[in-house]
Amino acid sequence: QVQLVESGGGLVQPGGSLRLSCAASGRPLEYYAYGWFRQAPGKEREGVSCISPLVSGDGTTYYADSVKGRFTIARDNAKNTIYLQMNSLTPEDTAVYYCAAKFTGVPAKCVPPNYDYWGQGTQVTVSS
């Protein structure tokens, strides 16, 4: 019941910043947890950051150890948009980034098998 479209990827220098956006449509959006995932060449898709459903009221977030202190997940409920602010980017952050959604239920880990709906992905390239 949710469609996701990512945007904001591109080429950035090491140390630079990007903000990814995920536009969500459908209903009821407040019942979904959202996450950002990435997949680099030769690696499995991994969870970068996830946020609990709006209806949970707790705003619980998760960050992979590799991005803690550099990335921030947020949402604008009025715009039905989820953001990933990425700072201090390194070449190791180069990957296709995906937005994903999971319908409310038992809290689950920020891993791809737990998420039901996916965007098309947006390429982030950090030059070295």
Side-chain angles (χ1 to χ4, degrees), residues 34-60:
Y34 296 91
W36 287 97
F37 300 80
R38 68 185 182 186
Q39 187 164 19
K43 295 184 178 180
E44 296 183 353
R45 190 171 300 184
E46 64 174 345
V48 176
S49 182
C50 293
I51 188 167
S52 61
L54 181 62
V55 295
S56 71
D58 58 14
T60 301

Side-chain angles (χ1 to χ4, degrees), residues 2-94:
V2 61
Q3 297 80 45
L4 306 168
V5 179
E6 303 99 331
S7 63
L11 177 65
V12 65
Q13 295 180 347
S17 299
L18 283 174
R19 187 179 72 166
L20 305 183
S21 298
C22 174
S25 61
R27 63 185 301 176
L29 299 177
E30 64 269 26
Y31 284 83
Y32 291 88
Y34 296 91
W36 287 97
F37 300 80
R38 68 185 182 186
Q39 187 164 19
K43 295 184 178 180
E44 296 183 353
R45 190 171 300 184
E46 64 174 345
V48 176
S49 182
C50 293
I51 188 167
S52 61
L54 181 62
V55 295
S56 71
D58 58 14
T60 301
T61 57
Y62 163 88
Y63 295 95
D65 289 342
S66 59
V67 306
K68 286 181 179 178
R70 300 190 297 121
F71 291 11
T72 303
I73 190 170
R75 60 182 158 209
D76 186 327
N77 298 319
K79 295 182 178 180
N80 296 323
T81 301
I82 302 87
Y83 301 98
L84 183 68
Q85 178 67 47
M86 306 186 296
N87 299 324
S88 301
L89 287 163
T90 74
E92 288 69 39
D93 295 315
T94 296

